[in-house]
Amino acid sequence: MRYSYLTRTVLVVALTVTAGLAVSACASPRDEAPLAGAILWQQTCQQCHEFRSPADYDDQQWETLVEHMRTRANLPAEDAEAILAFLQSGN
Amino acid sequence: MRLHAARIPILAAVLLAAPPLVAQELADELQEPDMDQFVTVDEFDETMDEIDQKIGQLEAVRPGSRDFMVTGYATATYADLDGSASDFIAGFNPIFLFRPAEDLLFEGEFEFNTSEGELNVEYAQALWSANQWMTVGAGKFLSPLGQFTERYHPAWINPLPDAPLFAAHDGLVPTTLTGAQIRGGIRSGSTIWKYTVFVANDTQLSEADEGGGGTEGAEGPPVGYGTVSDLSQSKAFGGRVAVLPLPWLEVGFSAMSSSPNDTSGAALGDLTLYGADVSAHRETAVGFVRADAEFVTLSLDDTDTERWNGGYLQCALRPNFGGTQLSDFQGVVRYDWIAFPTGVPSDLEPSRWSFGVNYWIAESTVCKLAVERLDFEGEQSNSILLQLATGF
């Protein structure tokens, strides 16, 4: 049986979404409140690279860098804001 | 007195560089202090703090410094490949960021590389943050298909000195696309969803026998992905959706549809690309583990006889030795491959094992040593790569 390109795309996306929801549901329950910037910084930035010290840049530079990385890594806005607040408080 | 004198040249330089009206306004506020008025050390320090504060304010409005910065990465590589001359390669990739408004960002990366001998605009795009969950971009951007090309290819992030075969320049996945994209991330409780959709200039394919796939001489996929200017009326479109059910686990799916042309503009049929990627990066009892896998399949005219596929599996471990210097080492192993359409002898399909040991000199500077074993055309060849990479 052959499926059209569109059908296959929809099927795979649906499977991805379903799998994500299933794994998410199996994950241990967690606090729904926004995570602290420090934890998000550790969880998010370390996905790709080593940590940069908050002291490496000033407040304005961190704003620009976090905006750059928010786009690149598709970070949720609230996570990016929390990470930025942490970085600016630690430099 | 000495402290104050030291600040005068700084203040003068900043005032000269600031916009005239703003500079005048701030300068009026900051008259040359009369040293006789100081009674105590505290008063003197207070005045000095005020001067520092004004300098900071002036720095913030000085043209060219406001929301503009240069970052990027650089490499120095030595490659010793079986059957060919050894080679020293230098790379320098500055990234320019300019943020003229809170919701607007311009970004561009330029690639200087001695092996290619030319300056390449890796990407250059404008990004508008439309709202909390959507950013709109236009220009030349890194391909969002999969994870490696967009996120892991910078040398100080990639734990090995080179890219997987399928993701090398002229591999199965276009390195960049020129067009427009909409992207964002959404948090739903503990789950994060990510999406990117794009429309771009159509892919332009090179001849099938011109090589590619990152392996010289191989009958690689017919992809040149020359997308800077579009020779056809149609456009390529596609995107990626990903989910992080756990903070350390990302699963993504990518797709692209295109109607490529050859270099003369003649239509070559329909190109369809699918990709799947998984990455798990987590601190464990033995250290920080990075595990990545990506698979891409590409077909022309939606036929199985004209289908290429490729991918890689990689695991890196930076062991935890209680914060000792041994914790600065990282081990990595990777397997990557490209498979060709039906009818191509299997010994022409390249596959490769790579083993590396890295030493992290600083938080964004790494020295990498890798041994690679390529299986291609029925022969096995070994390579030794040594690379120093830094992100700045």
Side-chain angles (χ1 to χ4, degrees):
Chain A
M1 182 185 298
R2 292 187 60 79
Y3 296 97
S4 70
Y5 168 69
L6 180 63
T7 307
R8 277 185 289 175
T9 302
V10 169
L11 277 173
V12 176
V13 169
L15 281 172
T16 305
V17 171
T18 306
L21 289 172
V23 177
S24 178
C26 296
S28 57
R30 292 201 289 152
D31 190 357
E32 296 295 311
L35 293 173
I39 296 173
L40 285 167
W41 172 67
Q42 187 181 28
Q43 288 178 349
T44 305
C45 306
Q46 202 176 20
Q47 291 294 311
C48 293
H49 53 74
E50 298 296 316
F51 294 132
R52 284 271 172 89
S53 166
D56 283 355
Y57 300 104
D58 63 27
D59 285 2
Q60 204 162 17
Q61 289 173 321
W62 275 126
E63 279 186 32
T64 303
L65 278 174
V66 170
E67 183 63 20
H68 169 63
M69 291 313 306
R70 180 171 87 93
T71 305
R72 176 64 56 84
N74 292 56
L75 301 182
E78 61 266 40
D79 289 13
E81 286 163 9
I83 291 169
L84 177 62
F86 163 71
L87 292 168
Q88 289 180 329
S89 69
N91 63 4
Chain B
M1 186 68 180
R2 188 173 57 84
L3 283 173
H4 175 256
R7 282 166 171 78
I8 294 299
I10 301 172
L11 185 58
V14 174
L15 283 170
L16 285 172
L21 288 176
V22 180
Q24 187 59 51
E25 186 180 317
L26 289 170
D28 288 345
E29 292 177 22
L30 190 64
Q31 296 298 323
E32 177 74 15
D34 177 2
M35 301 307 292
D36 294 337
Q37 72 180 326
F38 296 124
V39 178
T40 65
V41 172
D42 286 346
E43 285 181 351
F44 181 82
D45 288 343
E46 194 178 321
T47 302
M48 292 301 104
D49 289 344
E50 188 185 349
I51 292 174
D52 285 341
Q53 194 178 359
K54 296 298 181 190
I55 290 174
Q57 289 176 14
L58 283 164
E59 284 283 5
V61 298
R62 183 156 56 93
S65 69
R66 186 184 182 190
D67 297 316
F68 176 82
M69 62 184 300
V70 180
T71 178
Y73 57 97
T75 58
T77 307
Y78 172 75
D80 189 351
L81 283 66
D82 264 358
S84 62
S86 57
D87 199 10
F88 286 100
I89 305 163
F92 182 63
N93 295 58
I95 298 170
F96 299 92
L97 304 173
F98 178 53
R99 193 161 168 252
E102 194 170 330
D103 54 359
L104 198 58
L105 175 70
F106 289 86
E107 60 178 27
E109 178 183 326
F110 296 88
E111 183 179 47
F112 301 86
N113 194 305
T114 56
S115 68
E116 294 169 9
E118 60 183 21
L119 168 64
N120 178 43
V121 179
E122 186 84 342
Y123 60 84
Q125 66 171 331
L127 294 158
W128 173 52
S129 182
N131 55 44
Q132 292 278 302
W133 51 270
M134 183 172 76
T135 297
V136 181
K140 184 181 183 186
F141 48 86
L142 291 170
S143 160
L145 302 164
Q147 285 219 69
F148 184 88
T149 301
E150 190 177 58
R151 297 183 192 164
Y152 301 153
H153 88 276
W156 72 288
I157 293 174
N158 181 6
L160 284 166
D162 56 6
L165 295 165
F166 82 98
H169 284 282
D170 294 337
L172 288 178
V173 179
T175 305
T176 58
L177 296 160
T178 303
Q181 60 173 331
I182 296 174
R183 57 190 301 152
I186 301 165
R187 175 176 282 280
S188 171
S190 59
T191 303
I192 295 174
W193 296 91
K194 298 180 176 182
Y195 72 93
T196 304
V197 292
F198 66 83
V199 57
N201 290 345
D202 245 330
T203 49
Q204 184 188 90
L205 306 185
S206 56
E207 295 295 329
D209 58 358
E210 282 184 355
T215 304
E216 191 176 350
E219 187 185 353
V223 285
Y225 290 123
T227 60
V228 174
S229 58
D230 203 346
L231 296 175
S232 71
Q233 294 298 315
S234 61
K235 290 283 180 283
F237 63 91
R240 176 176 181 264
V241 60
V243 60
L244 281 80
L246 300 166
W248 48 268
L249 177 66
E250 180 164 345
V251 181
F253 169 74
S254 306
M256 180 177 78
S257 175
S258 175
S259 300
N261 310 285
D262 63 15
T263 50
S264 67
L268 293 176
D270 295 327
L271 182 151
T272 306
L273 181 150
Y274 292 104
D277 57 87
V278 180
S279 67
H281 297 181
R282 192 180 195 193
E283 191 70 52
T284 67
V286 294
F288 189 78
V289 176
R290 284 182 62 168
D292 302 289
E294 198 161 327
F295 175 76
V296 171
T297 179
L298 177 154
S299 68
L300 272 176
D301 286 329
D302 211 17
T303 63
D304 286 334
T305 54
E306 289 293 318
R307 178 178 295 281
W308 291 256
N309 68 65
Y312 82 113
L313 302 163
Q314 178 177 281
C315 187
L317 171 66
R318 188 166 171 181
N320 179 5
F321 288 109
T324 64
Q325 201 165 15
L326 289 174
S327 302
D328 293 330
F329 284 92
Q330 180 184 43
V332 54
V333 58
R334 179 182 73 192
Y335 177 73
D336 58 322
W337 79 96
I338 288 181
F340 295 133
T342 306
V344 176
S346 60
D347 63 358
L348 289 179
E349 297 175 336
S351 62
R352 184 171 62 178
W353 280 98
S354 305
F355 303 91
V357 176
N358 303 333
Y359 178 69
W360 286 88
I361 299 166
E363 60 196 15
S364 60
T365 303
V366 60
C367 184
K368 308 181 222 177
L369 174 64
V371 177
E372 299 186 339
R373 187 172 185 82
L374 177 70
D375 194 340
F376 177 57
E377 291 185 327
E379 294 181 2
Q380 294 178 329
S381 58
N382 298 319
S383 306
I384 296 175
L385 299 163
L386 182 63
Q387 183 180 71
L388 182 66
T390 185
F392 57 86

